[in-house]
Amino acid sequence: MFEIGRLCVKIAGRDAGKKCVVIDVLDNNFVLIDGQTRRRKCNLRHLEPLDKIIILTKNASNDEVIRALKEESIECEEKKEAKHKQSQRPTKKKAVNKKLEEAKPKKVKTKEAKETKKENTETVEKAEKPETKKKSVKKEQKSVE
Amino acid sequence: MPAPRYRSRSLRRVFVRVPSGKSVLHYRKRKPSKPTCGSCGTILKGVPRERPFKMQNMPKTFKRPERPYGGVLCSKCTRVKIKAMTRQ
């Protein structure tokens, strides 16, 4: 009854109610199926045979089976190619910081940069010094009074 | 004697082991009845028996078997039903 090309309906499991074709007979109890279901080994107890037989070769490929079923007006979802999915988890902070650091242009110490730094510091010191002097003068005045 | 509100058996009693090592009596609400098959009435497998607040936090795949009529009919009744539908 379960010869190659027999159209069946799966009764048990998560593919229950879906149509499939027998591709290979493995054993007295097991066959290989493909179609609307996943391509897998299946117990005969989990199949309900229909009255149609599709002409297929032994171990026919998934594309061939889908094409044959389309002719019988049974539509199957084409299996998508497994792509390398990028994880949707938030990336760790350390890794992000590393990437940012790499992207930044590195500081190169040159003579010019050093000189400009020195000039800046000198100007700041000059600006601060008179204030300190004034404070000291005020303190002296207070002590005299 | 337990407090008057705990004297009836409407709450179930659970022994809880506390960090100090003692076992203490706690009172909790009873679990709902076991889910049954819609056609034959047998107890369904793969469906947890928990209060709604626990069921809410569970993923969908934990709450019923992942086949047509999962969580409604038992596996035997689904087979019979699908067979009948295909033979029509």
Side-chain angles (χ1 to χ4, degrees), chain A:
Chain A
M1 192 185 267
F2 290 97
E3 60 269 47
I4 291 168
R6 170 70 70 183
L7 198 66
C8 300
V9 176
K10 192 116 195 297
I11 299 169
R14 77 182 210 201
D15 291 331
K18 290 179 179 175
K19 287 180 181 175
C20 59
V21 186
V22 175
I23 300 169
D24 193 5
V25 181
L26 305 172
D27 196 349
N28 278 337
N29 298 322
F30 290 98
V31 289
L32 195 73
I33 57 165
D34 199 0
Q36 286 181 333
T37 62
R38 293 163 288 165
R39 188 189 180 93
R40 72 203 318 266
K41 184 178 147 189
C42 180
N43 196 320
L44 295 182
R45 285 183 180 182
H46 302 163
L47 291 174
E48 174 69 14
L50 298 176
D51 53 357
K52 271 188 183 175
I53 293 177
I54 297 169
I55 300 160
L56 280 172
T57 54
K58 192 181 174 184
N59 282 325
S61 68
N62 184 40
D63 295 332
E64 285 174 353
V65 173
I66 287 170
R67 231 178 287 143
L69 285 176
K70 264 193 179 179
E71 286 172 10
E72 301 290 330
S73 70
I74 299 165
E75 288 197 5
C76 310
E77 282 183 19
E78 285 184 20
K79 281 159 195 172
K80 291 168 189 172
E81 286 177 12
K83 282 181 182 175
H84 233 39
K85 276 188 179 178
Q86 280 188 340
S87 63
Q88 292 179 343
R89 284 181 182 177
T91 48
K92 285 180 181 177
K93 274 187 179 178
K94 279 184 182 177
V96 172
N97 288 337
K98 261 192 177 181
K99 278 186 181 177
L100 287 172
E101 280 175 14
E102 284 172 6
K104 275 183 184 177
K106 284 180 182 178
K107 286 177 183 177
V108 183
K109 286 181 181 178
T110 54
K111 282 184 181 178
E112 288 176 7
K114 278 183 182 178
E115 284 172 4
T116 50
K117 258 195 176 181
K118 272 186 181 178
E119 282 173 8
N120 286 334
T121 49
E122 282 171 7
T123 50
V124 170
E125 281 174 4
K126 278 176 186 176
E128 283 177 359
K129 272 182 182 176
E131 286 177 9
T132 50
K133 273 185 181 177
K134 277 179 187 176
K135 278 181 184 175
S136 61
V137 170
K138 277 183 183 177
K139 276 182 184 176
E140 281 174 10
Q141 280 178 353
K142 277 183 183 177
S143 61
V144 171
E145 283 173 358

Side-chain angles (χ1 to χ4, degrees), chain B residues 22-77:
Chain B
K22 280 183 184 177
S23 71
V24 183
L25 193 63
H26 277 199
Y27 294 86
R28 284 181 197 166
K29 282 186 177 177
R30 287 187 185 278
K31 283 184 177 182
S33 61
K34 285 177 184 175
T36 53
C37 172
S39 68
C40 67
T42 52
I43 292 161
L44 291 179
K45 280 158 187 168
V47 183
R49 189 190 175 188
E50 289 294 345
R51 300 211 118 233
F53 77 93
K54 271 197 172 176
M55 295 287 269
Q56 268 184 346
N57 298 332
M58 263 186 236
K60 207 170 189 178
T61 50
F62 282 31
K63 285 187 267 195
R64 80 277 185 280
E66 208 165 359
R67 75 171 105 85
Y69 305 105
V72 180
L73 296 179
C74 67
S75 62
K76 282 178 188 174
C77 290

